[in-house]
Amino acid sequence: MTPPTDTLTPPAATPVNAIPETKALIKEVIEVYPDKAKKKREKHLNVFEEGKSDCGVKSNVKSVPGSMTTRGCAYAGSKGVVWGPIKDMIHISHGPVGCGYYSWSGRRNYYIGTTGIDSFGTMQFTSDFQERDIVFGGDKKLLKLITELDELFPLNRGVSIQSECPIGLIGDDIEAVAKKAAKEIGKTVVPVRCEGFRGVSQSLGHHIANDAVRDWVFPQFDKNKKEGNIPDSTAYDVAIIGDYNIGGDAWSSRILLEEIGLRVVAQWSGDGTLNEIINTPSVKLNLVHCYRSMNYISRHMEEAYGIPWLEYNFFGPTQIAASLREIASKFDETIQAKAEEVIAKYQAQTDAVIAKYAPRLTGKTVALMVGGLRPRHVVPAFHDLGMKLIGTGYEFGHNDDYKRTTHYIENGTLIYDDVSAYEFEAFVKELKPDLIASGIKEKYVFQKMALPFRQMHSWDYSGPYHGYDGFAIFARDMDLALNSPTWSLIGTPWQTTEVAA
Amino acid sequence: MAQNNVNDIQDHARLFHQDEYQELFKAKKEFEGGHSPEKVAEIADWTKSWEYREKNFAREALTVNPAKACQPLGAILAAVGFEATLPFVHGSQGCVAYFRSHFTRHFKEPFSAVSSSMTEDAAVFGGQLNMIEGLATSYNLYKPKMIAVCTTCMAEVIGDDLQAFISNAKAANSVPQTFPVPYAHTPSFVGSHITGYDNMIKGILSNLTAGKKQEATNGKINFIPGFETYIGNLREIKRYADLMDVNYTLLADNSEYLDSPNTGEYQMYPGGTKLEDAADSINAEATIAFQSYATTKTREYIESEWNQKTYVSRPVGIRGTDEFLMKLSALTGKPIPKELEEERGRAVDALTDSQAWLHGKRIALYGDPDLVIGLVQFLLEVGAEPIHIVVSNSNANFEGELRALLDSSPFGQNATIWGGKDLWHLRSLLFTEPVDLLIGNSYGKYLWRDTKTPLVRIGYPIFDRHHLHRYSTYGYQGAINLLNWIVNTLLDELDRNTIIPSKTDISYDLIR
């Protein structure tokens, strides 16, 4: 299935001479690498030229050792992103204590439920491996701890086993334990082979997590179907796939889908439940927000169950309207008419937001660097506020992400894949964007450079940013970052050197 | 429409309480397959019971919400305390992303560390090539004066040998032969972040001091903070030493690194203990560690290899600070200055002013062993009663020391020590034997929500309150800070409990 067509008109193109200049900058920046590393890195940096079918960078290969990548690991992709937000299951960080500890409540996947009773999203469950577990294996401990947790948390709907590095290395058979434990507690137990050393980033963890859903959860739908025991469905049933409900994003999206007359029967996986996941193959259309993390399961559902899927973008009114129309076009005229009504309904709200904030933001330049979707999807939201994107790149995007990115960016945009801290800092020093939109590890580096910053993984503890309601918050937040008077305090009145802000 | 007022844009804290979202949430339940509210309430009640507590404490394999992290986190906190030092974590790269995020969220400062980015091939063939390439890249890119290497559990499980790898990397010209690359093996399945701190300090000191032993001492005192996350404490120690005119070396001084000024220019390596000072620490008169369980191996090493006396002194509360100053005075022959005596007097004055609000207050606390001992010292001297003490990264020595401390005071008699236990155990303790106050890191906010026990945030990490780490908990000023946080939390709670008009507000007093 093709991605949605873009109705977007980017701001005026960069002067042509910017391209050779930016290419020269890239060359200069990577000069400091040892030869071998330089050869690797130069393939990941480029300048987008209009008309090209992708951004001209290599992606999804191993990071250069010692280069301070921002990437995480497969465990982070599976437990931290895909499985962790499923609220009524208990996700065991299986292995030593650290991985579960560092990923504990770090991602603001909002949910409604009674934590510790019927919801477990902001808790840390771990097998806390000690040396003896490494030596003798952790299978027995795992089986025991699953029975223990089921006794202490009887309302859990299931368990997932998120493998940390040692599990694969010592050869534990978590699949066998999962089968045995499922029998003992009478619930779904999912083994996930997401050891951190697998693959080159969290991206493989998303894929592994998707495969685990396919192999360990969907068989329940298949069984229910065989037994003629699937829930009632309607012609308007859809699932939200790949929205982790950061700051409530999935809710501010869901409300729009329901307003246009669709019935959202499952949310993957922010505020999601096992029941919603199991029942998803009954929907008529899968709506995919984070393509990078969940295209796999969407493709699987297309092949196995004949469910089409559509990638949509709910950042900024231009893309929200385009996406709502695209989504409605897959349904009948009633839905299409309602989509128009909804777009019209929110027009006043959107106009007020833009009227207030665009004058404060127009012409400001942005450098983006986020995970696997936002380096392209948030671009139109900036454009809606009159802001201009001068550089973007993914932590863990793949080639198809860079192809899709061309729809969103303009000629001359600097592209950096898996950018190292060194490169990012060097690019920013030269290009002097007005705002950096990236992650927590980058935030204070750039703020020390007197540059306004917003965290675009976590919305800097704000949000939601999705949907019309989210766009208002997005606009407000960009304004509060860019136009804070604190930036002007950084230079002392008695020193002559000027700072960037 | 939810955002109907552009001058009052509502984010998550208010947006979702509007009717349209409340209806949305209600409608979603149809698909969730959830339990009935009655069932949820029934189980919630059950988790508050003694029966549940017994089941909870009977678990043997499961850990829920532990108050400890893994070794490399401590190792890299130690490493950034040295001048222009880049921590290099040998293993799979996701760990470093987690460490950097964790520290950055707490300190709100940049934190640089690299990884050797080991993947499947390294799992099979070992990580030597990653080390050779990684050291060369980080040396060229980030221009450090020292690269401090530690491991993740992956490298430990496959048995990578750091010493051999580093020397092979040097032979391959990744870094110059003379360039310092100290190392520490920091398996995540042994000990915790405080063990990692200990291992790394020992690794760095043994590297830098090799061959530097002189006949005579340099007349200095070494200070080793331990896994210290209060920048204010390091500054306070330095101030005390300066006031006493003591010549000292603060080893692993990360106070500037973790609290650098915003000048409009980013510095990757602000401050830190000078490498030559660290190298000369072998010639000091003595070493004082401010934490015991985060410096155990380091002190053993200093005593046996350097032939240098080491002491543990926790300058927390009045007596803890007194002991530290007297120890420093005894070791150096320098008198304790009048100025500090006056500071002491002010702190004691503050404690006596507030004691009525603290006397007999029942306190639960959790955290790292040394932090907990310091807090207990303080609580006992103001007449508060530690009741539940949970330490996930405990050991027998610690429990013995803590027991002796509790036994030394009538206010310690009711305390129970829960070594190796976690915050889900603590939840049961708080429900079955309630206390007046809880002290611990930000994760305690979930206990506050569930049990309504007011929380004072002390420890690491503190993610959800700003700038507490800039204060001191050490010294006389630190005692005032602890007092301030604790007594004012109790008073806030009292106000909250006496706020209902014509019902509880008879006690809603202006003067406390």
Side-chain angles (χ1 to χ4, degrees):
Chain A
M1 185 161 275
T2 50
T5 44
D6 290 291
T7 50
L8 185 77
T9 329
T14 314
V16 212
N17 64 1
I19 293 175
E21 263 176 37
T22 313
K23 285 194 168 172
L25 169 66
I26 292 172
K27 236 178 137 145
E28 187 193 315
V29 167
I30 61 171
E31 210 39 58
V32 63
Y33 278 98
D35 286 345
K36 191 175 158 196
K38 183 160 68 184
K39 271 196 197 109
K40 287 187 197 170
R41 283 305 302 159
E42 65 191 358
K43 296 181 183 130
H44 296 264
L45 307 167
N46 213 334
V47 184
F48 174 59
E49 293 174 61
E50 213 149 74
K52 294 274 171 75
S53 67
D54 71 12
C55 297
V57 295
K58 219 175 157 168
S59 60
N60 195 36
V61 297
K62 191 170 155 35
S63 300
V64 174
S67 70
M68 203 159 8
T69 172
T70 58
R71 283 174 168 180
C73 61
Y75 166 89
S78 177
K79 191 268 186 178
V81 175
V82 176
W83 280 98
I86 302 173
K87 64 183 176 182
D88 60 351
M89 292 179 75
I90 287 179
H91 309 289
I92 302 163
S93 296
H94 186 43
V97 70
C99 316
Y101 187 76
Y102 306 118
S103 57
W104 181 7
S105 289
R107 217 168 170 256
R108 300 179 62 235
N109 310 105
Y110 284 2
Y111 62 88
I112 290 169
T114 308
T115 303
I117 310 300
D118 68 348
S119 303
F120 310 94
T122 47
M123 296 175 70
Q124 208 243 113
F125 296 85
T126 176
S127 41
D128 187 11
F129 262 35
Q130 301 299 304
E131 206 154 19
R132 61 180 177 273
D133 300 311
I134 299 288
V135 176
F136 300 112
D139 286 347
K140 270 192 192 147
K141 187 177 200 178
L142 179 60
L143 183 63
K144 188 168 185 187
L145 84 81
I146 292 173
T147 54
E148 285 178 357
L149 71 80
D150 197 52
E151 202 178 340
L152 289 170
F153 306 96
L155 300 189
N156 81 80
R157 289 296 192 190
V159 175
S160 81
I161 303 158
Q162 307 286 325
S163 303
E164 299 173 7
C165 285
I167 304 307
L169 298 171
I170 63 176
D172 276 4
D173 189 355
I174 59 167
E175 289 80 6
V177 176
K179 281 181 193 151
K180 208 165 167 194
K183 236 178 237 163
E184 277 192 25
I185 67 170
K187 289 173 186 168
T188 306
V189 181
V190 184
V192 192
R193 286 273 174 201
C194 56
E195 288 88 345
F197 62 83
R198 294 187 198 277
V200 302
S201 69
Q202 48 269 66
S203 183
L204 186 66
H206 306 141
H207 197 158
I208 291 167
N210 281 203
D211 288 353
V213 172
R214 178 194 65 200
D215 297 341
W216 294 82
V217 179
F218 280 174
Q220 295 182 57
F221 174 81
D222 300 335
K223 182 169 166 269
N224 290 351
K225 195 175 176 186
K226 216 191 239 165
E227 292 166 359
N229 196 16
I230 52 168
D232 294 337
S233 65
T234 74
Y236 300 122
D237 287 2
V238 296
I240 290 178
I241 308 278
D243 192 320
Y244 302 101
N245 210 31
I246 310 291
D249 279 336
W251 295 329
S252 59
S253 301
R254 182 183 184 111
I255 204 164
L256 297 177
L257 297 172
E258 299 204 335
E259 278 187 280
I260 70 169
L262 300 175
R263 195 171 86 141
V264 180
V265 307
Q267 247 176 250
W268 287 48
S269 55
D271 193 40
T273 60
L274 181 63
N275 195 58
E276 290 169 65
I277 311 284
I278 293 173
N279 291 332
T280 303
S282 71
V283 301
K284 299 298 179 292
L285 179 66
N286 276 322
L287 296 171
V288 183
H289 207 243
C290 180
Y291 168 85
R292 182 69 276 137
S293 60
M294 286 209 189
N295 77 87
Y296 317 100
I297 199 71
S298 305
R299 288 177 205 277
H300 170 72
M301 281 191 263
E302 186 172 39
E303 281 165 25
Y305 305 101
I307 303 166
W309 57 277
L310 181 69
E311 187 187 356
Y312 69 108
N313 179 356
F314 270 5
F315 286 104
T318 304
Q319 278 299 311
I320 298 170
S323 290
L324 284 174
R325 289 189 174 112
E326 180 92 11
I327 292 165
S329 76
K330 308 295 175 196
F331 295 92
D332 58 28
E333 282 169 5
T334 339
I335 301 291
Q336 288 160 22
K338 275 194 190 163
E340 292 304 328
E341 270 172 42
V342 169
I343 293 164
K345 174 187 153 186
Y346 283 96
Q347 194 62 50
Q349 178 178 312
T350 299
D351 288 348
V353 169
I354 291 176
K356 177 168 178 181
Y357 290 107
R360 305 182 191 182
L361 300 172
T362 296
K364 300 285 187 190
T365 55
V366 186
L368 261 175
M369 198 286 288
V370 216
L373 151 90
R374 293 157 184 158
R376 63 177 183 277
H377 267 198
V378 296
V379 173
F382 283 115
H383 287 168
D384 284 332
L385 293 166
M387 298 170 76
K388 184 177 154 72
L389 195 93
I390 58 173
T392 192
Y394 298 83
E395 270 180 33
F396 52 81
H398 295 210
N399 189 33
D400 50 357
D401 294 302
Y402 284 101
K403 279 190 196 306
R404 287 167 155 77
T405 307
T406 62
H407 307 301
Y408 293 97
I409 55 172
E410 63 177 285
N411 200 33
T413 305
L414 175 64
I415 309 291
Y416 30 77
D417 176 67
D418 182 23
V419 72
S420 68
Y422 168 80
E423 294 161 358
F424 201 12
E425 202 189 312
F427 289 144
V428 164
K429 271 187 185 152
E430 192 58 38
L431 298 176
K432 300 185 176 63
D434 297 305
L435 177 82
I436 316 280
S438 189
I440 185 65
K441 301 190 285 299
E442 296 77 57
K443 177 171 173 131
Y444 301 101
V445 170
F446 294 116
Q447 289 195 171
K448 296 267 191 222
M449 291 163 69
L451 282 165
F453 188 100
R454 286 301 291 180
Q455 287 183 62
M456 296 303 281
H457 297 272
S458 68
W459 313 146
D460 249 319
Y461 326 114
S462 175
Y465 280 180
H466 291 178
Y468 289 110
D469 288 342
F471 176 67
I473 304 164
F474 173 80
R476 180 200 70 174
D477 287 1
M478 296 311 129
D479 174 53
L480 69 83
L482 268 158
N483 296 314
S484 164
T486 57
W487 305 115
S488 69
L489 300 172
I490 290 172
T492 58
W494 56 86
Q495 80 184 6
T496 46
T497 32
E498 271 181 40
V499 295
Chain B
M1 275 177 298
Q3 305 283 19
N4 52 18
N5 180 358
V6 76
N7 294 314
D8 183 25
I9 288 173
Q10 307 190 15
D11 66 18
H12 54 86
R14 288 189 297 144
L15 178 67
F16 297 124
H17 299 286
Q18 301 196 26
D19 290 346
E20 53 203 283
Y21 280 102
Q22 290 296 313
E23 279 161 30
L24 185 85
F25 299 152
K26 221 181 284 166
K28 182 175 181 290
K29 288 199 185 304
E30 183 192 341
F31 310 104
E32 290 188 343
H35 300 274
S36 71
E38 296 74 30
K39 188 78 197 166
V40 173
E42 180 201 321
I43 298 297
D45 277 345
W46 173 60
T47 66
K48 300 171 187 173
S49 67
W50 274 92
E51 183 200 344
Y52 188 86
R53 169 175 165 164
E54 274 155 32
K55 264 190 203 303
N56 192 7
F57 275 79
R59 65 183 144 99
E60 289 171 356
L62 174 68
T63 298
V64 188
N65 299 353
K68 66 169 180 180
C70 66
Q71 284 211 49
L73 186 83
I76 67 174
L77 186 72
V80 301
F82 294 89
E83 178 190 15
T85 296
L86 182 66
F88 182 112
V89 184
H90 181 57
S92 56
Q93 76 200 359
C95 312
V96 170
Y98 278 143
F99 306 148
R100 293 180 65 210
S101 297
H102 219 256
F103 279 137
T104 300
R105 285 168 174 163
H106 174 86
F107 291 106
K108 309 198 188 304
E109 292 290 322
F111 196 103
S112 301
V114 297
S115 157
S116 54
S117 291
M118 281 160 67
T119 55
E120 288 99 332
D121 51 339
V124 179
F125 301 110
Q128 175 153 271
L129 291 175
N130 297 64
M131 179 72 76
I132 291 171
E133 190 182 349
L135 284 180
T137 299
S138 51
Y139 177 76
N140 279 283
L141 253 56
Y142 301 111
K143 311 219 171 342
K145 288 192 175 169
M146 177 160 87
I147 298 178
V149 179
C150 64
T151 50
T152 68
C153 50
M154 177 198 184
E156 289 297 321
V157 171
I158 64 174
D160 276 3
D161 179 351
L162 290 184
Q163 187 175 16
F165 286 8
I166 292 166
S167 85
N168 292 342
K170 283 190 169 182
N173 290 322
S174 292
V175 297
Q177 278 293 344
T178 54
F179 184 80
V181 186
Y183 67 88
H185 285 277
T186 50
S188 310
F189 42 82
V190 174
S192 71
H193 54 286
I194 60 172
T195 325
Y197 181 92
D198 195 9
N199 284 331
M200 193 78 242
I201 289 283
K202 184 185 159 202
I204 290 174
L205 291 182
S206 58
N207 178 296
L208 293 177
T209 61
K212 305 283 180 186
K213 183 78 175 171
Q214 312 260 325
E215 286 297 311
T217 77
N218 60 18
K220 293 184 179 180
I221 303 291
N222 296 325
F223 296 132
I224 303 180
F227 189 89
E228 176 58 73
T229 54
Y230 285 86
I231 303 310
N233 283 348
L234 302 185
R235 297 208 166 120
E236 200 65 348
I237 291 300
K238 291 191 273 190
R239 188 173 70 88
Y240 275 29
D242 288 342
L243 279 170
M244 282 186 64
D245 195 28
V246 167
N247 210 350
Y248 67 92
T249 305
L250 178 57
L251 291 162
D253 178 3
N254 51 27
S255 60
E256 282 178 68
Y257 187 91
L258 296 167
D259 189 19
S260 68
N262 196 332
T263 60
E265 222 175 291
Y266 167 61
Q267 312 260 354
M268 193 158 164
Y269 307 110
T273 308
K274 295 258 175 262
L275 299 188
E276 68 228 48
D277 292 345
D280 196 32
S281 63
I282 191 171
N283 299 309
E285 293 276 347
T287 293
I288 299 178
F290 301 117
Q291 295 180 0
S292 174
Y293 304 99
T295 61
T296 310
K297 283 187 195 158
T298 302
R299 284 180 292 117
E300 274 171 22
Y301 157 78
I302 290 174
E303 299 241 350
S304 66
E305 302 295 314
W306 296 3
N307 257 328
Q308 195 181 103
K309 281 269 183 213
T310 71
Y311 305 91
V312 173
S313 180
R314 300 185 189 86
V316 184
I318 303 298
R319 292 223 170 80
T321 307
D322 294 348
E323 279 167 26
F324 166 63
L325 291 176
M326 289 190 292
K327 173 59 70 189
L328 202 53
S329 178
L331 288 172
T332 60
K334 308 261 181 172
I336 298 166
K338 189 88 185 130
E339 196 173 339
L340 285 176
E341 225 172 285
E342 280 169 7
E343 277 191 30
R344 183 186 192 280
R346 284 185 209 112
V348 171
D349 188 54
L351 299 189
T352 55
D353 292 346
S354 303
Q355 61 83 19
W357 293 107
L358 298 166
H359 196 97
K361 284 287 182 297
R362 291 161 54 85
I363 317 275
L365 63 158
Y366 63 92
D368 290 338
D370 290 286
L371 177 89
V372 159
I373 287 185
L375 288 171
V376 168
Q377 277 171 203
F378 176 78
L379 293 172
L380 295 177
E381 68 189 10
V382 295
E385 293 188 25
I387 300 293
H388 313 301
I389 305 172
V390 170
V391 178
S392 297
N393 46 358
S394 163
N395 65 30
N397 287 345
F398 158 71
E399 285 168 36
E401 188 187 354
L402 179 57
R403 176 53 64 198
L405 174 63
L406 291 164
D407 286 349
S408 72
S409 160
F411 297 95
Q413 302 306 307
N414 294 321
T416 44
I417 302 171
W418 300 98
K421 295 292 184 279
D422 56 44
L423 300 188
W424 196 256
H425 291 116
L426 182 52
R427 185 177 183 273
S428 280
L429 297 173
L430 292 173
F431 274 127
T432 49
E433 297 176 85
V435 295
D436 299 305
L437 194 75
L438 173 63
I439 301 178
N441 62 27
S442 281
Y443 291 113
K445 76 188 296 174
Y446 300 123
L447 293 168
W448 178 58
R449 174 190 57 194
D450 290 359
T451 70
K452 315 255 186 322
T453 315
L455 170 68
V456 181
R457 286 167 177 77
I458 301 175
Y460 173 87
I462 296 175
F463 290 148
D464 62 336
R465 292 293 182 272
H466 285 208
H467 308 305
L468 291 174
H469 67 278
R470 295 173 193 273
Y471 290 81
S472 62
T473 60
Y474 282 2
Y476 302 123
Q477 190 59 48
I480 297 177
N481 289 334
L482 293 173
L483 176 74
N484 175 10
W485 297 333
I486 292 170
V487 81
N488 289 327
T489 301
L490 287 166
L491 293 177
D492 277 347
E493 182 67 9
L494 186 56
D495 283 347
R496 209 170 285 125
N497 291 336
T498 55
I499 204 168
I500 306 169
S502 83
K503 193 169 174 195
T504 63
D505 74 340
I506 46 167
S507 309
Y508 195 63
D509 289 331
L510 180 67
I511 308 158
R512 304 262 195 212

